[in-house]
Amino acid sequence: MTSIILAGGKSSRLRRGKALEVIGGRSLIQRVIERLALVSNQILIVGSLAQFHFLSDYSVEYKADLYPGKGPLGGIYTGLAASKSLYNLVVACDMPFLNIELLRYMIKLSPGFDAVIPKVDRIQPLHAVYCKSCLDGIRTRLEDNQLGVTYFLRTVNVRYVGQAECQRFDPQLLSFSNVNSQADLARANILAKEEC
């Protein structure tokens, strides 16, 4: 299994690069890598070349966006193109509480689908499994400048994982907590202390 970490966001609400923000004594990106290492034999970080100088301390592979400025869909494409696996976990770099059992469950559901996506309040396309079968469809949309991930997902065979299904593994749904603001960062630090 390959895991793809999308680190290309601009962090406009936090107003600084969030991948290295510290939560519970470890950076966001480090927490994500540590969890994904439990289910992956390849971990890719996808982003802009400008980011790699400060992320390069981690023993993972770095891939510059093949379609710079095309948002998460471009990052997913870059990761899938570089992956050695048919099925790939895709997560954002700002999800410090990934639940390994939920991820394993999603991986088990993958065969026969182009994507496995949780649906918790809304769909969660940046906490998902994507098959390499998505590559051609994503490339077409990128070249047509149709960048919405949710719109792309309407064109492929998706297995949605409902909220109750997710809560079997992650009762508080912390997997889907991300850090976009100072308030999110403070809350994440409180949750990290409770986790310890």
Side-chain angles (χ1 to χ4, degrees):
M1 175 62 61
T2 295
S3 289
I4 298 162
I5 303 171
L6 302 183
K10 296 181 181 175
S11 306
S12 54
R13 282 180 277 177
L14 202 55
R15 297 182 185 218
R16 59 187 181 270
K18 56 188 168 183
L20 298 181
E21 289 293 331
V22 175
I23 292 174
R26 300 189 320 282
S27 70
L28 267 172
I29 196 83
Q30 184 179 3
R31 290 177 69 91
V32 172
I33 290 168
E34 285 171 2
R35 296 199 182 204
L36 294 176
L38 299 173
V39 293
S40 310
N41 52 16
Q42 180 187 32
I43 297 177
L44 306 172
I45 295 180
V46 176
S48 68
L49 282 173
Q51 294 172 300
F52 295 156
H53 73 281
F54 64 83
L55 288 177
S56 59
D57 292 341
Y58 303 99
S59 57
V60 297
E61 296 174 58
Y62 298 87
K63 297 295 175 186
D65 281 312
L66 295 172
Y67 287 87
K70 299 286 188 178
L73 196 62
I76 293 168
Y77 179 85
T78 300
L80 290 178
S83 167
K84 297 173 185 169
S85 306
L86 181 61
Y87 292 101
N88 304 268
L89 283 169
V90 173
V91 300
C93 71
D94 64 347
M95 298 177 128
F97 304 108
L98 295 172
N99 182 292
I100 293 304
E101 294 312 312
L102 175 56
L103 293 175
R104 285 187 174 130
Y105 176 68
M106 291 169 55
I107 292 164
K108 283 181 187 172
L109 294 175
S110 302
F113 294 99
D114 297 309
V116 177
I117 313 280
K119 199 169 189 178
V120 177
D121 294 327
R122 56 185 175 79
I123 68 167
Q124 303 287 335
L126 303 187
H127 179 293
V129 179
Y130 290 87
C131 182
K132 273 188 173 271
S133 59
C134 292
L135 274 168
D136 289 344
I138 294 176
R139 184 173 58 245
T140 298
R141 295 190 78 83
L142 290 169
E143 289 173 356
D144 291 343
N145 215 36
Q146 298 174 341
L147 306 181
V149 181
T150 54
Y151 294 109
F152 164 72
L153 290 172
R154 294 175 187 172
T155 69
V156 294
N157 185 19
V158 179
R159 166 57 157 94
Y160 289 104
V161 184
Q163 181 165 319
E165 239 176 320
C166 291
Q167 286 180 304
R168 283 169 37 201
F169 305 95
D170 186 0
Q172 295 178 277
L173 301 172
L174 294 180
S175 295
F176 309 105
S177 298
N178 55 13
V179 177
N180 289 314
S181 66
Q182 202 62 46
D184 292 341
L185 192 56
R187 178 176 178 268
N189 271 298
I190 291 167
L191 289 169
K193 284 180 186 172
E194 290 172 1
E195 187 181 53
C196 290

